[in-house]
Each structure stands twice: as C-alpha cells, then as structure tokens.
Amino acid sequence: MSRTLVILFSIFFSAQLYAQKVGLVLSGGGATGFAHIGVIKALEDNEIPIDYITGTSAGALVGGLYASGFSPEEIEAIVLSEQFQLMSTGEMEEKYKYLIEQSDEDASQISYRFAKDSIFQKSLPTNLLNPTYLDLELLHMLGMNPEISKKTFDSLFVPFRCNASDIVTKSSYLFKSGDLNVAVRASMTYPFFISPIEVDGKLLFDGGLYNNFPAKEMYHEFNPDFIIGSNVSYNEAAPTDDNLMSQIKNMFSSHSSYSLPCDEGIIIEPDLGDIGTFDFDRIKEAIDIGYKATQAKIDSIKMYVHLRVSKEELKKARAKFNSKKHELHISAVEVTGLEKDQGNYLERKLIKEKKSETIGYENLKYQYLRLYQSEHILSIFPTLTTKNNIQTLNLNVRKEKPFKISVGGHYSSRPVNTGFMGVSFSDFNLTPLTIYANSYFGKFYGSVKTGIKFYLPTHTTSYIEPQFVMNRWDYFKSFATFFEDVKPSYIVQNEKFWSINYHVSTSNRSKIRLDFTNGFNEDTYYQIDNFTNADTADYTSLLYYSPGFEFTLNTLNRKQFASAGMKLQIKTRFVHAIERTVLGSTAIQNDDANVAIFHNWAYANIQYQTYFMQRGLYRLGVLFEGHYSLQPFLQNYTASILSAQAFQPIPDSKTGFYNDFRANQFISGGLMNVFTIKDLVDLRIEAYIFQSVQRIQNIDGEAVYGNYFEDQFGIASVSVIYHSLVGPLRATVNYFDSKTELNPLSFQISFGYVIFNRNAIR
C-alpha cells in the first residue's frame, strides 16, 4: 500500500514539476533596457522556458517583439541595425529622404513653428523626436498577425502584458488586448522625447512613470509558478534645492517597487555602469552585460525551474506561430484627424487609382515616409485592420502648425556679414499650399524672395511655384576684418526677376525644375582699380526672358560642408536679352554706348560632387564642374566678365569677385579631404583646379578670348569646422592662385551658412 502511495505521489509531483509556468518581468530603462535581450538569450541557451511576459517601456518593446514571435537573435539584429539607430534619433535612411519635400537651401539656422491661436502655449514642441518612422516600423513588426493578436494578447506566441501611464488619473494603464503596436508604442512614450498617443480617449505616456517593474501584473494576470525579473532601472533620488532635473523627474514619476510579489522568483540586475537612458550607441554592450548577469544566476534559476525547452523545440513552435502572420498588402486607406478632402489627398498619395492593386510594405514605406516629410504634416500614427482578407491602413494624421519663422545668416571676421530671416504660411485644403518670403540683409549681400507653392493632386509629388526675387551683391576691394576700413564698392550687381516654376519628383532623391523667367540685371562697376569717390561708375543692364531646365540628384548629408553622399546638378537655359551700357568717368572706351543691343545664347552646366571613400575617420571626395555657354561678349571687358559663369567650389569664393575664375566655357575639379577629429569636429583640406577653354582677357577695355587652355588657376582651403546644432562654426585659411588678386591668402573665423537666394541667368 505504501509503495502505491509513493508511486502516486511521484507521478503527481513529476506532473507538477513539468507543469511549471515561468513568468518574465522586464523593467523600463531606455537604452539600458536592451540588456533584457541578453537575459532572454541566456534563458533560451539554458533551455529555461518563458511562458508569460510583462514589460514596461523598453521592456515592453523587447517583450512585445519576443511575444510576437521574434527570436532573441532577431531582436538583437533589429536593435543593432543602422535603421534602428536612426529611428532612435528621429532620422531615417538616406534612400527614404524625399528631396522635393525639403525646403530650398538657405542660410536659416533656427526655425520655429506656431499657430495663430496661440504663439507659445500650443506651439511649444512636446517632443524632441518625431516618432512617425518608428511607429510605421512597429506596425510592420508587431501588427502583422491581426487575426491572433487583436482578440487578446493571450493569443500571442507568449502571453503578454504591458503598461502605460494616464497622467490625468495619475495611474497605470494595463494593455491586455487590441493593437500590439499601439500598446508597445504607448508604453515607451518617454515624456518630452517621444510624443504621446491617445488610446480610448486617454493621452498615454511611458509606463515607467507610475509602474516601471510590472511584477504585480505578472502575478495577478498569469499566476505563474516562478517569476524571473530583469531590472535595469531605479527610483529617482530625493530632489534637492539646486538640481532642477531631479525636481522635474520626481514631479513626473512615482516610485516603483522593484521587488517580486511572491517568494517563488529571482531578480536579475545587470550592472550597466555608466550606460545612460539615451546611450543607444551602446546597445550591444548592454545586451552582453544582460547575458553575463543571467549566466551568473542560471544555477539558482535551475534549482527552481526544472522544465526544459530545447532551442529546436522553440524554433519549431515559433515557425508555426509566424506562419500565421499576414504579408502586408494594403487595399484601402482611411484617414482620421483631417477633413475629408485632405484625407482624400493623402489617400491618393499612398494608393494609386486602380482599386484592384494593393501596395506592399516596401512601396508603402516609400510613400508613407514621403508624406511624413511634408511640411504640412506633423505626425502620422498607423494601425491596421483586416476584414474578409482586405487590409485597411488606418492613419491618424496631425497637421503641422501653419506659421514658420526662421533666422540665421553668416557672421564673419571679414566684412561679408549677412543676416537672414524667413517666414512662411502653410495651408492644406483640397491640396497643400505654401506661401513664403525671406530676406538677407548686410553690406555685402541683400535679397528678398517671395513665392507660392501650389501642390498638384497627383500620385507623384509636384507643384507650381510663381516666384519673385531681388538680389544685390556689393563687392569692395578689401579683405578687412571688423576693425579695418574698407575701400568704396567697385562692383555692385543687382538683379530682380519673376519666374513660374514647375517642380516634379523623379525619385526620392531627385527632382526636375522647369521654369520661365523674366528679369532685369543691373551692374554698376569701375573698369580701373585706382578709382575715387569722385568718379562715376559704368552701368550695364540686361532685360531678358529665359526658359530653363534643371535636374538635381542630392544625397549629401549636410547643406554645406558635407562629408558623405553625392550631388549631381544639370542645368540648361536659353536667354534672350537686351543690353544697354552707360559709360562712367573711368571708362576706357570713348564712344557713347547707350544703345540697345540684342543677344541670344544658350548654356549648359553640370556639377558633380561625391564622397566615395571612407577609411575610419577619413573621407575623400571629388568635385567636378563643366560649363559651356554660347554667350557673346557684352560691350566691355568688365561687363562681360560680370556676366560670365563663376567657379565657386568653396563657400568663401562666393563672397569675393575673382576674375580669373570666370569664363564662358570651362572645366574644373578638385579633391575634398575630410578628417573627423572628434564627433562633430571636421578638418577639411580642399584643392581645386580651374581650366577655362579660352580665358576672357582685357585688351584696352574690350573682352577678347585668349589661347585655348592657356592658363590654369587653383584654389586651396583648410578649415576646422564644428557642426553645432545651429550651424557650422569654423576657422578657415583660403588661397586663390590668381594673376589679378593682390591678396591671394586670407583668414577668417565665421559662424553660419554662405547660402544665397538663387540667380536667374547668372
């Protein structure tokens, strides 16, 4: 009898052992939370089962991915990818950046958007990172098994819970069902870093505010036999009277309990040292530390957890679960947050008119991220519904604030300082509309530009842009600093023109512009160097009309002083012009030139630069420019050289007038060496050669061509540049190898961008 009892007891006890259920609790912690991946890897390597998961913030992301059928190796590959690193900073891969939606390059350094109803209260930014790209990737990774996960999170590969924070009720909000990507996204909404989302009428923030270690939720929701906790976080220290951040953190969060609600469990606390919440570049280090910390406690875990699940069994079970996932094939788009006509416009951008066609993820991603980059869209949050095998993409869209003001400029130790201010208004009814204006102001350069962009309701982004521009350059013979006098101006160039432009995207990184331009150029100049204030200047005007074509392909990583990517620009233009010249007191010619002369010419210009080699901190780039113009000479040498094309490979070549680097036909090129000294500090060493086909020479005030390929001229530049958040700060030495320059060597310290409004025909 006693032997029978022993056998029955053994059978019962064995059944209890093999019926053990293990729960895994993952704390929040930002970048440190990716140590949880190492914890899961170690548990799988030791065949410890994971039957339930609860997580907060980063723990919700890692736990949600695992619960959705990703292996720890796949999760590690995701978070270590360049794509994830970019998402963690609100950036995206170069191939998804949409050139036509980027603002025209100007000297702006700081921009601020606001709404008319409240300049400050409702217009201050609520987050540093725009999570639109991250939200799309979360949908793709976590939202593609709707038939299973939308009923309840108990139907996932591993039953799952995560929590967010309701700041109105000051309480934790537990997700048990619904859209998994929504739940995870809400849980990881770190205040001021990622914008909050609304769920069930509640604005939800990071789950760690009120419960950063959901162990009680594990105990009450799943009642496991054994709980393993992975904690990488801590409660904030008490605030002090001289530490603002400690005060803010304590105001926004409640202390969490980092203990287990039962005796049957163990807590793993990886020692992550100085790895911080936002150190996303140290994720691999955090994963390895999590793995080692778990291995150190694995014997203690095995004492309590006797059931083993081999990696092969897990692999088969995971493959079976993942086979039920849907491929993404969007048949319809529904937009909320906008008016009907606005929603229809966005739908046309995502889905072509043929209703029978569906859109896969890669195509969707391109179109979706194009919308995200529009200046009219603030954010997009996606969810997916599937009914009768028809997938509908649901987009909750928020419009960007309509008004924008920008300031910037270029501030230098040389007298070429220029301020910049720009304003714009964006509206979005049937189609988007942007009205803009900017102004440059300074002794050397002044300009006004205004225009309107009328976006067309086409699948490919295009817009019509009427535009008016006035430019003024005032050159004077000096390389003076702030503390020196300068000579009187010897060249003043004015131009004003209106144009009607048509812009159309040809790919993500390229676009075409067609334009018709009508304008008036005025050049005031002296034909000799030894002029005085008593002399009167010569004057040449051109009244013209000109159709033009421009193709641009641009992947450069900065609008100035780039160190990666490439840019190709091809321009061609026909010009019909009427010239008038009035001679001044310094004119070399004696005849009265105040007669109308008609000119017709065409030109083609190609500019190409690329950074094609990288070795550690060193990058090598090349630049090429070729120009061919049929432009005739004007009535004297100076007027002719003023209208000729200038080779300006470095920004500072745009702030001086260099005769020897202007021609009607030329080829030129050079090398750009960039050494990244530390983080955002670059050492640039550049050298260029300019070769005119025929140099424009001055013979008794007349312009004549010299011999073919007779003279070459060089430019060299050495700069140390700090790329700050508001523009480049640099110290530069330039050398212009020229026959006409008395001071070929110059030095300056400057801050900001040397970028001007566009020319019409120059």
Side-chain angles (χ1 to χ4, degrees):
M1 182 69 177
S2 60
R3 183 177 179 182
T4 302
L5 287 174
V6 169
I7 293 172
L8 289 174
F9 179 78
S10 298
I11 293 172
F12 176 77
F13 184 68
S14 297
Q16 292 303 305
L17 282 178
Y18 287 97
Q20 278 184 314
K21 295 294 183 180
V22 178
L24 177 63
V25 181
L26 307 176
S27 75
T32 61
F34 295 108
H36 301 320
I37 301 171
V39 172
I40 296 174
K41 283 179 68 176
L43 293 176
E44 281 202 357
D45 286 348
N46 288 276
E47 301 185 341
I48 304 298
I50 301 173
D51 298 291
Y52 312 107
I53 293 181
T54 59
T56 294
S57 195
L61 175 61
V62 174
L65 288 168
Y66 188 78
S68 190
F70 289 88
S71 69
E73 290 77 17
E74 289 171 326
I75 300 172
E76 181 176 15
I78 289 170
V79 301
L80 292 180
S81 66
E82 179 185 0
Q83 180 184 27
F84 186 84
Q85 291 294 320
L86 290 170
M87 284 189 292
S88 68
T89 59
E91 296 292 326
M92 69 180 72
E93 298 102 309
E94 283 294 330
K95 66 179 181 179
Y96 294 115
K97 292 182 179 178
Y98 202 26
L99 181 64
I100 199 170
E101 290 288 7
Q102 295 175 12
S103 300
D104 294 339
E105 290 183 350
D106 56 36
S108 62
Q109 296 173 261
I110 301 173
S111 296
Y112 175 72
R113 282 193 172 273
F114 59 94
K116 62 181 179 180
D117 57 343
S118 175
I119 294 179
F120 294 108
Q121 185 175 354
K122 295 182 181 179
S123 297
L124 291 174
T126 59
N127 53 285
L128 295 175
L129 180 149
N130 191 320
T132 298
Y133 184 22
L134 173 65
D135 293 340
L136 178 66
E137 287 297 316
L138 286 177
L139 172 70
H140 185 231
M141 291 186 291
L142 302 176
M144 297 314 300
N145 207 337
E147 295 302 322
I148 296 175
S149 62
K150 286 213 172 173
K151 296 176 183 177
T152 168
F153 291 170
D154 290 343
S155 301
L156 293 167
F157 179 64
V158 176
F160 174 72
R161 300 286 186 272
C162 68
N163 60 293
S165 296
D166 182 348
I167 62 172
V168 175
T169 62
K170 302 293 188 295
S171 62
S172 185
Y173 183 98
L174 187 66
F175 284 96
K176 303 180 182 182
S177 61
D179 295 292
L180 182 59
N181 64 301
V182 173
V184 170
R185 167 65 167 80
S187 184
M188 55 190 287
T189 302
Y190 197 90
F192 304 120
F193 185 65
I194 302 178
S195 56
I197 61 172
E198 188 174 307
V199 180
D200 295 334
K202 297 178 173 64
L203 198 63
L204 298 181
F205 286 82
D206 193 289
L209 293 180
Y210 304 131
N211 183 4
N212 207 26
F213 190 65
K216 289 183 179 179
E217 284 72 14
M218 170 63 73
Y219 185 76
H220 293 297
E221 289 289 317
F222 299 119
N223 191 27
D225 300 294
F226 191 80
I227 297 176
I228 300 172
S230 177
N231 177 37
V232 296
S233 197
Y234 56 89
N235 287 316
E236 289 294 330
T240 59
D241 59 0
D242 60 349
N243 190 327
L244 177 62
M245 289 307 298
S246 72
Q247 297 171 22
I248 293 174
K249 288 179 179 180
N250 274 274
M251 280 191 288
F252 275 97
S253 61
S254 300
H255 281 206
S256 298
S257 171
Y258 292 102
S259 60
L260 298 178
C262 58
D263 295 330
E264 295 78 19
I266 193 169
I267 295 180
I268 301 165
E269 295 184 298
D271 183 5
L272 293 158
D274 62 344
I275 299 178
T277 301
F278 301 106
D279 290 338
F280 293 103
D281 57 339
R282 301 179 69 181
I283 289 176
K284 176 60 177 173
E285 188 179 344
I287 293 172
D288 293 341
I289 293 172
Y291 187 91
K292 291 176 183 177
T294 307
Q295 290 286 52
K297 291 198 173 185
I298 205 69
D299 289 339
S300 299
I301 295 172
K302 287 181 176 179
M303 288 178 58
Y304 294 96
V305 180
H306 303 282
L307 181 63
R308 300 289 178 266
V309 178
S310 70
K311 296 194 76 171
E312 188 61 32
E313 290 178 273
L314 270 178
K315 184 177 179 181
K316 290 180 180 178
R318 189 174 283 123
K320 182 179 179 181
F321 177 84
N322 287 332
S323 68
K324 301 175 184 178
K325 291 183 178 180
H326 294 208
E327 290 293 327
L328 192 146
H329 294 290
I330 300 296
S331 300
V333 176
E334 292 185 359
V335 177
T336 58
L338 300 177
E339 296 176 2
K340 183 178 179 180
D341 289 336
Q342 298 167 349
N344 291 339
Y345 175 83
L346 297 190
E347 290 173 23
R348 286 194 298 271
K349 289 292 183 182
L350 288 170
I351 302 291
K352 292 185 178 180
E353 292 184 0
K354 292 183 179 179
K355 300 297 183 182
S356 59
E357 292 184 2
T358 61
I359 184 170
Y361 182 67
E362 272 306 312
N363 287 334
L364 171 68
K365 189 173 181 179
Y366 272 102
Q367 299 297 334
Y368 183 98
L369 293 178
R370 287 177 176 182
L371 292 181
Y372 153 61
Q373 294 171 75
S374 168
E375 64 179 326
H376 302 87
I377 303 298
L378 175 62
S379 67
I380 309 174
F381 189 82
T383 55
L384 187 70
T385 57
T386 301
K387 186 175 182 180
N388 299 325
N389 294 322
I390 296 176
Q391 295 179 357
T392 299
L393 182 67
N394 308 291
L395 301 178
N396 183 264
V397 181
R398 295 168 61 201
K399 290 173 60 177
E400 183 57 274
K401 298 175 182 69
F403 295 96
K404 183 175 79 169
I405 185 169
S406 303
V407 296
H410 176 244
Y411 309 98
S412 170
S413 58
R414 289 180 54 223
V416 291
N417 299 280
T418 306
F420 172 86
M421 177 173 287
V423 295
S424 68
F425 169 75
S426 299
D427 195 15
F428 188 10
N429 290 313
L430 290 174
T431 62
L433 168 75
T434 299
I435 304 171
Y436 63 86
N438 71 35
S439 176
Y440 288 81
F441 40 92
K443 176 175 173 53
F444 164 67
Y445 176 69
S447 180
V448 172
K449 181 174 77 171
T450 185
I452 306 175
K453 295 180 180 179
F454 297 97
Y455 286 83
L456 303 178
T458 54
H459 184 68
T460 299
T461 301
S462 61
Y463 61 89
I464 295 173
E465 178 189 35
Q467 186 181 74
F468 176 75
V469 179
M470 290 195 303
N471 289 315
R472 183 178 188 273
W473 287 268
D474 189 343
Y475 297 98
F476 33 86
K477 283 271 188 181
S478 177
F479 283 97
T481 66
F482 278 127
F483 309 105
E484 300 177 38
D485 292 330
V486 298
K487 292 182 180 180
S489 304
Y490 75 108
I491 295 174
V492 177
Q493 290 189 294
N494 287 278
E495 71 171 353
K496 52 187 174 182
F497 63 89
W498 66 267
S499 63
I500 183 75
N501 308 286
Y502 172 68
H503 302 254
V504 61
S505 174
T506 52
S507 72
N508 261 33
R509 306 301 291 148
S510 65
K511 64 179 181 179
I512 286 174
R513 187 189 76 205
L514 302 173
D515 74 84
F516 181 85
T517 299
N518 176 227
F520 186 66
N521 290 356
E522 297 176 296
D523 294 338
T524 304
Y525 52 89
Y526 295 94
Q527 295 193 50
I528 60 175
D529 290 333
N530 57 340
F531 59 89
T532 68
N533 287 331
D535 288 318
T536 58
D538 290 20
Y539 168 87
T540 296
S541 68
L542 286 177
L543 176 64
Y544 59 85
Y545 67 78
S546 174
F549 166 89
E550 180 180 306
F551 170 81
T552 303
L553 171 62
N554 189 354
T555 65
L556 294 178
N557 63 334
R558 299 187 183 105
K559 65 181 179 181
Q560 203 155 68
F561 307 114
S563 60
M566 62 86 70
K567 182 176 182 180
L568 171 66
Q569 194 166 59
I570 300 171
K571 301 178 183 179
T572 183
R573 183 172 290 280
F574 171 79
V575 181
H576 172 75
I578 303 173
E579 175 198 358
R580 287 184 181 273
T581 295
V582 178
L583 301 180
S585 62
T586 65
I588 298 173
Q589 305 92 333
N590 295 319
D591 56 319
D592 184 4
N594 189 12
V595 294
I597 301 176
F598 291 83
H599 298 292
N600 293 287
W601 73 88
Y603 72 75
N605 179 276
I606 180 170
Q607 299 178 36
Y608 176 72
Q609 63 173 304
T610 181
Y611 293 86
F612 64 94
M613 188 178 78
Q614 179 178 354
R615 296 288 185 272
L617 301 179
Y618 171 70
R619 289 181 173 87
L620 175 63
V622 296
L623 179 146
F624 168 82
E625 182 176 354
H627 183 78
Y628 187 84
S629 175
L630 299 175
Q631 178 174 344
F633 291 138
L634 302 187
Q635 289 183 252
N636 59 63
Y637 166 78
T638 306
S640 299
I641 205 74
L642 283 169
S643 65
Q645 175 71 11
F647 176 55
Q648 300 172 327
I650 61 175
D652 299 323
S653 59
K654 300 176 182 179
T655 62
F657 193 87
Y658 303 100
N659 295 32
D660 291 332
F661 294 92
R662 289 173 172 258
N664 288 332
Q665 302 94 28
F666 66 81
I667 54 174
S668 56
L671 296 176
M672 303 168 290
N673 301 273
V674 183
F675 302 84
T676 302
I677 301 172
K678 184 179 180 182
D679 296 332
L680 297 174
V681 179
D682 287 344
L683 170 65
R684 292 183 69 92
I685 302 174
E686 305 169 69
Y688 304 93
I689 294 293
F690 174 81
Q691 174 66 72
S692 59
V693 176
Q694 288 180 283
R695 185 183 174 203
I696 302 175
Q697 297 182 342
N698 186 354
I699 305 297
D700 297 328
E702 298 291 336
V704 298
Y705 279 126
N707 296 327
Y708 284 98
F709 303 105
E710 183 176 19
D711 297 307
Q712 302 86 36
F713 300 100
I715 298 175
S717 178
V718 178
S719 302
V720 177
I721 306 169
Y722 170 60
H723 300 279
S724 75
L725 290 175
V726 291
L729 175 64
R730 65 188 172 107
T732 303
V733 176
N734 297 319
Y735 178 78
F736 290 85
D737 173 29
S738 168
K739 291 183 178 180
T740 58
E741 288 302 317
L742 298 177
N743 299 295
L745 194 66
S746 65
F747 169 78
Q748 69 172 319
I749 296 173
S750 65
F751 175 58
Y753 297 100
V754 186
I755 299 175
F756 305 139
N757 285 331
R758 78 177 184 92
N759 299 120
I761 62 171
R762 297 184 191 273

